[in-house]
Amino acid sequence: MTASAELSRLSRAALDLCAELATQTEVPGQTTRTYLCPSAAQVHATLRAWADRLGMTTHLDAVGNLRSRLEGPPGAPTLYLGSHLDTVPNAGAYDGILGVVLGYAAAEALQAIGPLPFNLEVLAFSEEEGVRYGVSFIGSRALVGTADELLDRLDKDGQSVRDAIRAFGLDETELPGALAEANALGYLEVHIEQGPVLQDAGAQVGVVSSIVGQSRLTLDFAGQAAHAGTTPMTLRRDPLAAAARFIVAAEDLARATPGLVATIGMIEARPGAGNVIPGEVSLSLDIRHEFDAVRDQSLAALLDTAERAAGARGVTLAVTPRMAEPATPMDAELRTGLREAANSLGLMAPELVSGAGHDAQILAARMPAAMLFVRSPNALSHHPDERVNGEDVEAALAVLVHMIQGLARAARA
């Protein structure tokens, strides 16, 4: 079989596996897989079977990351490949998981070519989306030494991250063993774009120049619950009215600020009756920008707006930060390597900013990191209709393999 035919076979196998893994879910009829849910064990077993066929050594680390390794020469550095296994509720079949299965596909393709002068480790991160605990990147944080800060976080059922780790048969005291090696060669992540830029450009793949910074917060407005018919408008302390002013202000500011996105994805009014003025309102804020200064200034302006909207209505405001990640440029040398690998295959590989957060931004604190985007033909993600083109997946696999072969040649020189 020619190298091209082998890559075609492996990319088809990767897509078939994505379809199979989409059925391994905690909610029948949809793809939903949160941190260390029971179906995560099914996913681990399915991926481990591929690793075993390749003779890779595989284990779960202390936060449940599945890690499969091809050993290189003694003392050699490690190149990491991967992405995440968890999903948002009612997700598509490719976000995160495509990067994991292409890591195994690349390992198989490279193994057929010959031994590498470095170790190759495929990382299947247990958590990236932040669904269960309201904080993202539990998986990749373990590799940079910051996951221990999250152990006391509680889910909606009052179970801590520590509890979830133990219930899955793991031991949080082994977190130091999850750290990435100090002499890591780097981290490469393949991911669907989740947007329209590559589709609009007619490009199958793209190279990520940087990942936007983002802040996530919870805002709690507290007023006074009262009867909807007997309380005059001038005497109300309505937290929902204050929250509504804030929500519109967030949209207005984001529309007026190039590159800024601001999202209120969750809102809850209590007690939640149609004939009762709410007494309490909680909402989420997700704000992102390529430049941290713009994001910080915008967030400060929005919080000032929230305070004024609350004060005008006799409402109090409490703000709880949930996550803050700085904007993260990808490694210039690895970006060049991905672009040159694509060009050598006759592919356009435009550079683009990632508006979504990814594990690469966490690992970039410890090692060179880069990302290759695969075109999203309908620009949908975090949705059951998420799509990829088979030929684009094959192109991404070819770029990844050529890139790693280039790293191998450089290591041998």
Side-chain angles (χ1 to χ4, degrees), residues 77-93:
T78 297
L79 177 66
Y80 294 96
L81 312 176
S83 194
H84 61 97
L85 299 180
D86 68 317
T87 74
V88 297
N90 200 20

Side-chain angles (χ1 to χ4, degrees), residues 363-376:
L363 294 186
R366 189 173 174 90
M367 66 185 74
M371 294 190 70
L372 182 72
F373 271 173
V374 182
R375 175 167 52 185
S376 295

Side-chain angles (χ1 to χ4, degrees), residues 155-242:
D155 65 12
K156 61 181 178 59
D157 298 319
Q159 187 177 47
S160 69
V161 173
R162 179 183 284 101
D163 294 335
I165 287 171
R166 292 178 180 177
F168 207 76
L170 302 170
D171 184 352
E172 81 281 2
T173 66
E174 296 178 358
L175 267 171
L179 282 171
E181 296 172 9
N183 65 338
L185 191 62
Y187 172 73
L188 298 175
E189 181 171 357
V190 179
H191 204 284
I192 59 170
E193 181 199 346
Q194 304 177 279
V197 175
L198 295 179
Q199 176 70 7
D200 186 62
Q204 294 180 276
V205 296
V207 177
V208 176
S209 58
S210 64
I211 299 172
V212 297
Q214 60 178 292
S215 299
R216 297 185 193 177
L217 308 93
T218 299
L219 282 72
D220 293 296
F221 295 84
Q224 177 62 61
H227 195 290
T230 62
T231 310
M233 298 301 294
T234 55
L235 299 179
R236 296 185 179 204
R237 296 174 53 211
D238 187 346
L240 187 52

Side-chain angles (χ1 to χ4, degrees), residues 63-376:
V63 297
N65 297 321
L66 186 75
R67 305 172 67 158
S68 300
R69 187 175 177 89
L70 284 175
E71 294 291 344
T78 297
L79 177 66
Y80 294 96
L81 312 176
S83 194
H84 61 97
L85 299 180
D86 68 317
T87 74
V88 297
N90 200 20
Y94 306 105
D95 176 10
I97 200 72
L98 180 65
V100 176
V101 297
L102 286 183
Y104 286 104
E108 182 165 343
L110 291 160
Q111 194 176 50
I113 295 169
L116 292 169
F118 42 76
N119 309 304
L120 186 72
E121 186 167 322
V122 179
L123 299 165
F125 290 117
S126 56
E127 199 283 334
E128 186 258 13
E129 297 286 5
V131 172
R132 182 172 178 182
Y133 287 99
V135 62
S136 301
F137 309 119
I138 295 173
S140 49
R141 287 177 192 273
L143 274 80
V144 301
T146 58
D148 58 332
E149 301 168 7
L150 310 176
L151 292 175
D152 294 323
R153 289 269 186 166
L154 301 178
D155 65 12
K156 61 181 178 59
D157 298 319
Q159 187 177 47
S160 69
V161 173
R162 179 183 284 101
D163 294 335
I165 287 171
R166 292 178 180 177
F168 207 76
L170 302 170
D171 184 352
E172 81 281 2
T173 66
E174 296 178 358
L175 267 171
L179 282 171
E181 296 172 9
N183 65 338
L185 191 62
Y187 172 73
L188 298 175
E189 181 171 357
V190 179
H191 204 284
I192 59 170
E193 181 199 346
Q194 304 177 279
V197 175
L198 295 179
Q199 176 70 7
D200 186 62
Q204 294 180 276
V205 296
V207 177
V208 176
S209 58
S210 64
I211 299 172
V212 297
Q214 60 178 292
S215 299
R216 297 185 193 177
L217 308 93
T218 299
L219 282 72
D220 293 296
F221 295 84
Q224 177 62 61
H227 195 290
T230 62
T231 310
M233 298 301 294
T234 55
L235 299 179
R236 296 185 179 204
R237 296 174 53 211
D238 187 346
L240 187 52
R245 291 288 184 183
F246 169 78
I247 291 169
V248 173
E251 181 190 39
D252 289 346
L253 181 62
R255 284 179 177 270
T257 308
L260 185 72
V261 293
T263 303
I264 286 80
M266 296 185 295
I267 183 168
E268 180 184 6
R270 297 177 294 272
N275 61 349
V276 179
I277 301 163
E280 298 176 336
V281 173
S282 295
L283 59 82
S284 64
L285 172 65
D286 180 313
I287 185 167
R288 309 183 189 202
H289 198 275
E290 178 183 2
F291 300 113
D292 290 334
V294 175
R295 174 172 54 92
D296 292 342
Q297 291 165 7
S298 300
L299 178 57
L302 287 178
L303 294 181
D304 180 66
T305 296
E307 288 280 6
R308 286 187 282 108
R313 293 162 180 81
V315 170
T316 62
L317 173 66
V319 178
T320 305
R322 298 296 182 188
M323 186 184 81
E325 292 294 340
T328 308
M330 296 289 92
D331 181 74
E333 192 170 331
L334 291 181
R335 282 161 49 193
T336 298
L338 285 171
R339 188 170 56 251
E340 290 178 348
N343 294 161
S344 72
L345 295 165
L347 298 168
M348 290 195 303
E351 287 207 340
L352 66 165
V353 174
S354 173
H358 297 286
D359 293 299
Q361 74 192 85
I362 302 300
L363 294 186
R366 189 173 174 90
M367 66 185 74
M371 294 190 70
L372 182 72
F373 271 173
V374 182
R375 175 167 52 185
S376 295

